[in-house]
Structure formats: structure tokens, C-alpha cells
Amino acid sequence: MATQWTVRSRSAVKADWAVLPASVKKEVLLTLADMREDPFAVGIEPLKGVRRGYRVRLSVPYRILFYANESRRTVEVARIRKRSVAYKGIEPKRITNPPTSWRSEPLA
């Protein structure tokens, strides 16, 4: 059996948790338990424009947004919110070294 992942949460998740309906809390707990085995096996999608950011779609209109560090085998849950507000204010990816295939001159 592979080493389990550590799942942690940011302090903001405590406020998110407090307002979740009981049925959603149950689904979140089951999903987080699955993520301890392999966070990439529970139907995750990468967050566009966010380095190491991912989301899990729950069966209800809620999302779990998290960051994964593969070398440390840690998952940091950032938010558990309704889809309509979950993505607001997520940090954008900063590209420090663009790929060499990118053109540096304007396309005209």
C-alpha cells in the first residue's frame, strides 16, 4: 500500500464548513477520505490559471478547491463552497519563465 496523503485545510474552510448543509458535509467527508489514498483519483480537474490548484465537483452544486504538493504528498483544502462563488479571488498563476516556443515579438 502506498503512503497516504496528508489532507489539511486553510482557516477559511472552517467558516465554509459551518454553513454547509448536513448532506453536503457527509459527501465532503467521504471525498476527503478518498483523497487521503489518492487525491487525483476522485475526478479532479486542474484549476485554470492556478499553479497546483485543483477542484473536485460534488454531486450537489458545491466544489472543493485544493492545492496539491506531490513531493510532500500533502493536500491543502482552500475552499468548500457553492460553484457560483467558489472561484472568486483565487490567486492567478505567475509565469516566471515562459516556454521558449513562445514568440516574443507581437503577432501582426
Side-chain angles (χ1 to χ4, degrees):
M1 185 169 141
T3 306
Q4 287 194 334
W5 286 65
T6 301
V7 178
R8 299 181 178 151
S9 63
R10 291 185 172 180
S11 58
V13 174
K14 189 181 277 188
D16 294 346
W17 183 262
V19 297
L20 291 176
S23 60
V24 176
K25 287 180 181 181
K26 183 176 179 179
E27 187 175 6
V28 167
L29 291 175
L30 292 171
T31 302
L32 293 178
D34 289 343
M35 290 174 72
R36 285 187 182 95
E37 295 296 322
D38 183 2
F40 302 106
V42 292
I44 66 114
E45 292 287 332
L47 292 176
K48 293 179 182 174
V50 180
R51 184 175 299 150
R52 296 181 314 201
Y54 302 91
R55 67 115 169 112
V56 176
R57 182 184 316 168
L58 301 174
S59 63
V60 291
Y62 285 86
R63 302 291 186 264
I64 299 173
L65 304 186
F66 68 95
Y67 298 95
N69 185 323
E70 293 183 58
S71 63
R72 293 184 178 172
R73 296 185 66 84
T74 59
V75 168
E76 181 183 15
V77 178
R79 295 180 178 173
I80 306 170
R81 297 182 184 170
K82 283 189 174 180
R83 185 189 65 80
S84 60
V85 295
Y87 303 101
K88 293 182 180 172
I90 294 291
E91 71 178 53
K93 182 190 295 184
R94 295 189 193 346
I95 300 175
T96 55
N97 296 318
T100 56
S101 62
W102 285 8
R103 298 174 62 151
S104 59
E105 67 275 359
L107 297 173

